[in-house]
């Protein structure tokens, strides 16, 4: 889990509903402030920001803000269900950031783990771990139709070079594909650099 690098720079593909963005990304995790700060450079639109504050994760509350978040929320105004999935995606990502910030000792204290599954003692988090061919994946089932997952690919120099996260349906669509409702595909070129401050 610690090899999932969310402090760094790279390229990203972001999808939410019918909206698709190819962006340059710089990001930083600040565990003291319980804050993930993300700056995205969008071709023809410029630089925008997204912040996820998980300081109230113990109460199942995450706060999202920033100009890019406002853009996505505005574009999904005509589809209440898609807007709900955007908020759910950011909440689940906040749960991951919270879990990662605990470190190994904190996870052992706050979670009950067995058979590659870790259930939080009080929050609706039940991470299911899988690892194959050097890749790593965590999944949290939301209901009987959808799940959130975060996957690391291509580990090198102590971190995964690609991190894919999203909310996915358990079933394929009519064309036989499994398409995420909301997703971020982050190709990390540099891990451990600075990022925008709030």
């Amino acid at each position: 889990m610690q090899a999932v690098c969310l402090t760094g720079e790279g390229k990203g593909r972001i999808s939410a509903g019918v909206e698709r963005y190819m962006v340059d990304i710089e990001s930083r995790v600040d565990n003291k402030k319980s804050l993930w700060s993300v700056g995205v450079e969008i071709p023809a639109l410029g630089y925008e920001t997204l912040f996820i504050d998980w300081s109230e994760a113990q109460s199942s509350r995450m706060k999202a803000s920033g100009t890019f978040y406002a853009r996505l929320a505005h574009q999904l105004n005509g589809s209440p269900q898609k807007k709900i999935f955007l908020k759910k995606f950011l909440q689940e990502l906040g749960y991951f950031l919270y879990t990662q910030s605990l470190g190994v000792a904190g996870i052992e204290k706050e979670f009950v783990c067995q058979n590659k599954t870790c259930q939080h003692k009080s929050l609706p988090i039940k991470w299911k771990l899988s690892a194959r061919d050097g890749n790593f994946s965590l999944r949290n089932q939301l209901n009987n139709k959808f799940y959130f997952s975060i996957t690391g690919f291509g580990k090198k120099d102590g971190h995964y070079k690609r991190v894919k996260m999203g909310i996915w349906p358990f079933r394929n669509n009519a064309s036989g594909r499994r398409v995420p409702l909301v997703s971020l595909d982050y190709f990390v070129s540099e891990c451990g650099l600075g990022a925008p401050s709030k």
Side-chain angles (χ1 to χ4, degrees):
M1 181 180 292
Q2 301 305 319
V4 174
C5 183
L6 295 180
T7 293
E9 292 183 355
K11 303 281 187 182
R13 289 195 298 252
I14 300 169
S15 68
V18 297
E19 303 299 328
R20 302 284 187 276
Y21 298 94
M22 296 290 295
V23 299
D24 293 320
I25 298 177
E26 56 177 356
S27 61
R28 180 183 180 191
V29 175
D30 186 332
N31 286 327
K32 290 183 178 179
K33 294 182 179 179
S34 301
L35 186 70
W36 190 42
S37 305
V38 183
V40 297
E41 185 71 34
I42 309 171
L45 294 175
Y47 186 84
E48 298 191 358
T49 55
L50 167 69
F51 303 100
I52 299 178
D53 179 341
W54 74 90
S55 58
E56 296 184 61
Q58 289 280 10
S59 301
S60 294
R61 287 194 293 267
M62 310 295 170
K63 297 176 185 176
S65 60
T67 54
F68 188 61
Y69 170 71
R71 173 183 294 279
L72 291 175
H74 175 73
Q75 290 174 338
L76 295 177
N77 270 342
S79 178
Q81 185 180 28
K82 291 177 181 177
K83 197 169 182 178
I84 288 171
F85 278 115
L86 172 63
K87 291 182 178 179
K88 189 63 179 173
F89 169 77
L90 296 173
Q91 181 182 43
E92 292 297 310
L93 180 52
Y95 281 144
F96 173 79
L97 291 161
Y98 160 74
T99 305
Q100 190 181 52
S101 73
L102 293 174
V104 175
I107 290 172
E108 290 176 350
K109 180 181 178 182
E110 298 292 333
F111 287 79
V112 176
C113 300
Q114 60 181 22
N115 299 326
K116 296 186 177 180
T117 298
C118 290
Q119 171 75 61
H120 194 275
K121 293 178 180 177
S122 60
L123 296 174
I125 311 172
K126 188 176 183 179
W127 295 119
K128 185 176 181 180
L129 168 68
S130 62
R132 188 170 65 179
D133 300 328
N135 300 328
F136 159 94
S137 182
L138 279 180
R139 175 186 290 190
N140 187 35
Q141 183 171 335
L142 306 180
N143 51 41
N144 61 356
K145 292 183 178 180
F146 302 102
Y147 64 90
F148 171 85
S149 72
I150 184 163
T151 304
F153 302 92
K155 191 174 182 180
K156 185 179 180 182
D157 300 326
H159 70 276
Y160 293 103
K161 304 299 286 185
R162 178 186 178 193
V163 179
K164 189 170 187 175
M165 57 194 87
I167 290 182
W168 303 80
F170 280 108
R171 294 185 178 182
N172 294 341
N173 61 17
S175 60
R177 298 175 59 224
R178 189 170 298 180
V179 179
L181 285 81
V182 182
S183 67
L184 166 60
D185 207 354
Y186 190 0
F187 297 84
V188 183
S189 57
E190 297 287 344
C191 180
L193 301 178
S197 59
K198 194 167 185 179

